[in-house]
């Protein structure tokens, strides 16, 4: 903890709670580490708290806090979108795999029934693939 | 010699012939009179394949992940559409595909999209711009020579018998036949004249991860969808 005697700057502050009795910020020590700190006022007056409010007003902290919340929300939305994309990709892969498997069944492979083969290929979900594949197999058996 | 036809190559993993059958079946559905040649291994050929493919070639087909390159200069067609196995045809506009070829060029191809690429297509010495999973090419001697060189150089590349200045051309390019194609087109006397499919070029080779807006409101004719791992790793 030798670095705490080094000169430091306070950076990137934002409110740590709704009551606005705490500020989260970074202490950037010259030639030392960057430490995240939670600063609150004290009965006898916390010098760090005072220092923060000599640099930023309460309104400026409101704006900085809102920006951080907006960034976090944007990141969460992007993560959610990526998760949904991945889910869609997996569903698409499963559907395509099911179609390839259906077409690899001998009786379907050998079938000249282009209509039903087309229905399997155009199926929108696994149930349709299975249903059309089963129907085609039944038709071929009945021949 | 037949004028126009499609060329599929299935080697190394049986998933590719399963996919080739699926793709060729969709092609015949939308264009029953299309002519299709399949290069594959004799032991993989089934009776039903002779109904689906017009021409099956098995003699000396190498068991190689880029057997496609070996097959390209052996095309039986004047104008060939090489098509990866992991594709399928969506509609009857496929009948117009050979009309998209610019007769002043030797090869017609679509642009690769960087955002959909498996690797960073831009590097210090250039950029891989052409998607080599589907293209139309003629059977002029110099074009077929290009295809032959593509295969021979790729084999050297794969076996690390061809090395390059990795400061300019990153080593991560090694597995890719697009890199071999780029090199031949940009750094050698074998260069052939290239044109692109008319815009939206991607409608003729729409990779499943492309953005829909790339189609500019038109319908994709050919979808390029990687074979799912379940099939690729299956016990076939």
């Amino acid at each position: 903890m030798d670095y705490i005697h080094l000169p430091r700057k306070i950076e990137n502050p934002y409110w740590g709670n709704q009551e606005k009795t705490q500020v989260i910020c970074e202490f950037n020590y010259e030639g030392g580490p960057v430490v995240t700190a939670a600063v609150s006022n004290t009965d006898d007056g916390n010098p760090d708290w005072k220092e923060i409010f000599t640099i930023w007003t309460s309104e400026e902290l409101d704006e900085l806090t809102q920006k951080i919340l907006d960034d976090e929300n944007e990141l969460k939305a992007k993560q959610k979108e990526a998760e949904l994309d991945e889910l869609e990709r997996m569903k698409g892969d499963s559907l395509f795999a099911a179609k390839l498997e259906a077409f690899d069944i001998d009786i379907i492979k050998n079938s000249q029934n282009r209509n039903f083969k087309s229905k399997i290929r155009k199926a929108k979900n696994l149930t349709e693939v299975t249903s059309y594949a089963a129907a085609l197999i039944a038709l071929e058996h009945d021949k | 010699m037949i004028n126009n036809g499609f060329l599929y190559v299935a080697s190394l993993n049986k998933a590719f012939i399963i996919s080739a059958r699926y793709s060729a079946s969709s092609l015949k559905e939308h264009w029953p009179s299309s002519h299709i040649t399949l290069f594959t291994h004799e032991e993989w050929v089934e009776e039903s394949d002779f109904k689906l493919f017009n021409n099956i070639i098995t003699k000396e087909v190498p068991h190689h992940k880029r057997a496609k390159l070996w097959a390209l200069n052996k095309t039986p067609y004047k104008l060939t559409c090489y098509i990866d196995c992991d594709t399928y045809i969506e509609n009857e506009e496929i009948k117009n595909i050979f009309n998209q070829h610019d007769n002043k060029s030797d090869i017609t191809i679509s642009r690769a999209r960087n955002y959909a690429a498996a690797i960073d297509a831009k590097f210090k010495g250039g950029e891989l711009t052409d998607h080599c999973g589907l293209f139309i090419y003629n059977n002029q001697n110099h074009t077929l020579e290009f295809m032959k060189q593509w295969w021979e150089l790729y084999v050297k590349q794969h076996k690390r018998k061809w090395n390059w200045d990795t400061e300019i051309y990153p080593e991560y390019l090694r597995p890719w036949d697009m890199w071999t194609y780029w090199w031949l087109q940009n750094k050698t006397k074998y260069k052939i004249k290239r044109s692109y499919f008319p815009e939206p070029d991607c409608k003729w080779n729409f990779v499943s991860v492309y953005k829909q807006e790339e189609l500019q409101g038109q319908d994709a004719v050919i979808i390029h969808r990687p074979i799912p791992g379940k099939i690729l790793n299956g016990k076939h």
Side-chain angles (χ1 to χ4, degrees):
Chain A
M1 298 281 273
D2 290 344
Y3 59 81
I4 61 169
H5 300 295
L6 292 170
R8 59 122 176 88
K9 279 186 198 167
I10 299 179
E11 295 174 340
N12 303 318
Y14 60 92
W15 295 118
N17 56 19
Q18 298 225 332
E19 294 75 28
K20 302 183 183 178
T21 58
Q22 184 188 59
V23 172
I24 309 292
C25 59
E26 289 170 359
F27 288 175
N28 189 342
Y29 291 94
E30 206 173 287
V34 177
V35 179
T36 300
V39 181
S40 302
N41 205 1
T42 53
D43 290 342
D44 50 351
N46 182 345
D48 292 336
W49 182 267
K50 281 183 187 164
E51 187 179 342
I52 288 168
F53 286 93
T54 59
I55 306 170
W56 294 279
T57 64
S58 183
E59 288 73 26
E60 283 172 332
L61 282 181
D62 287 345
E63 285 171 20
L64 290 168
T65 305
Q66 191 57 50
K67 187 178 179 313
I68 283 175
L69 286 173
D70 290 347
D71 288 351
E72 273 182 14
N73 286 338
E74 193 182 335
L75 184 67
K76 274 184 193 164
K78 277 185 183 166
Q79 281 171 342
K80 182 84 180 163
E81 198 180 328
E83 281 168 19
L84 287 172
D85 283 351
E86 178 61 10
L87 195 64
E88 277 304 304
R89 191 194 62 74
M90 284 167 66
K91 276 167 72 179
D93 266 7
S94 298
L95 183 60
F96 188 42
K99 292 176 183 181
L100 288 170
E101 282 175 330
F103 271 78
D104 199 36
I105 296 169
D106 281 341
I107 198 162
I108 293 178
K109 206 186 305 180
N110 291 313
S111 168
Q112 296 302 303
N113 190 329
R114 281 195 177 153
N115 182 31
F116 265 82
K117 283 186 161 182
S118 175
K119 284 183 192 298
I120 297 171
R121 206 177 292 111
K122 290 187 167 71
K124 299 275 185 254
N125 53 55
L126 292 173
T127 309
E128 280 188 13
V129 174
T130 313
S131 305
Y132 288 129
L136 179 53
I137 290 168
L139 281 171
E140 292 295 325
H141 274 305
D142 284 350
K143 271 186 180 173
Chain B
M1 176 168 266
I2 301 155
N3 278 338
N4 302 334
F6 293 84
L7 197 152
Y8 288 91
V9 184
S11 174
L12 210 60
N13 185 324
K14 262 194 144 182
F16 290 108
I17 194 162
I18 291 170
S19 294
R21 287 180 189 125
Y22 185 86
S23 182
S25 168
S26 69
L27 172 55
K28 288 286 187 183
E29 179 193 331
H30 297 295
W31 191 5
S33 62
S34 58
H35 204 278
I36 312 178
T37 290
L38 169 71
F39 283 86
T40 192
H41 308 303
E42 193 175 352
E43 62 272 24
W44 289 0
V45 178
E46 297 176 7
E47 194 61 36
S48 58
D49 292 328
F50 292 101
K51 288 179 187 159
L52 182 59
F53 300 97
N54 304 86
N55 184 24
I56 299 176
I57 297 171
T58 57
K59 195 179 174 193
E60 295 173 358
V61 174
H63 289 259
H64 194 283
K65 69 173 181 173
R66 302 289 183 223
K68 99 183 199 194
L69 303 178
W70 176 87
L72 290 172
N73 77 331
K74 294 160 188 72
T75 178
Y77 307 116
K78 286 183 183 169
L79 205 55
T80 305
C81 177
Y82 166 76
I83 179 166
D84 271 358
C85 296
D86 54 347
T87 55
Y88 52 91
I89 285 64
E90 281 281 86
N91 61 56
E92 293 198 353
E93 209 180 335
I94 189 67
K95 290 174 183 170
N96 295 324
I97 193 167
F98 291 102
N99 299 333
Q100 311 306 312
H101 177 62
D102 177 355
N103 285 325
K104 292 185 196 113
S105 70
D106 300 308
I107 186 167
T108 299
I109 200 162
S110 63
R111 291 177 181 83
R113 270 61 175 171
N114 276 352
Y115 68 83
I119 53 166
D120 188 1
K122 276 189 184 175
F123 44 90
K124 201 173 171 184
E127 182 179 357
L128 308 182
T129 53
D130 300 352
H131 194 293
C132 296
L134 187 147
F135 48 86
I136 300 172
Y137 64 101
N138 65 27
N139 70 340
Q140 298 285 304
N141 286 341
H142 62 277
T143 308
L144 297 182
E145 179 62 23
F146 176 93
M147 301 304 169
K148 181 169 170 276
Q149 292 296 328
W150 195 359
W151 163 247
E152 289 178 2
L153 187 58
Y154 184 82
V155 170
K156 287 182 193 167
Q157 174 184 326
H158 184 57
K159 289 182 177 170
R160 297 181 175 273
K161 287 182 178 170
W162 172 43
N163 295 293
W164 51 82
D165 183 350
T166 52
E167 281 294 308
I168 308 170
Y169 311 109
E171 181 61 23
Y172 69 67
L173 296 167
R174 189 169 293 281
W176 304 99
D177 58 356
M178 274 173 75
W179 158 239
T180 334
Y181 167 92
W182 183 93
W183 180 266
L184 288 170
Q185 283 286 52
N186 290 281
K187 298 288 174 186
T188 72
K189 64 178 181 180
Y190 300 108
K191 175 183 169 67
I192 54 174
K193 194 163 182 215
R194 173 205 62 194
S195 63
Y196 288 116
F197 281 97
E199 287 291 325
D201 62 332
C202 63
K203 75 184 276 183
W204 300 100
N205 183 15
F206 191 79
V207 181
S208 56
V209 292
Y210 282 1
K211 294 171 186 163
Q212 279 297 316
E213 53 262 38
E214 299 264 17
L215 288 167
Q216 300 171 26
Q218 296 194 32
D219 291 329
V221 180
I222 301 170
I223 307 286
H224 208 138
R225 183 177 194 103
I227 300 172
K230 186 183 177 190
I231 304 293
L232 212 49
N233 305 320
K235 292 174 185 172
H236 298 293

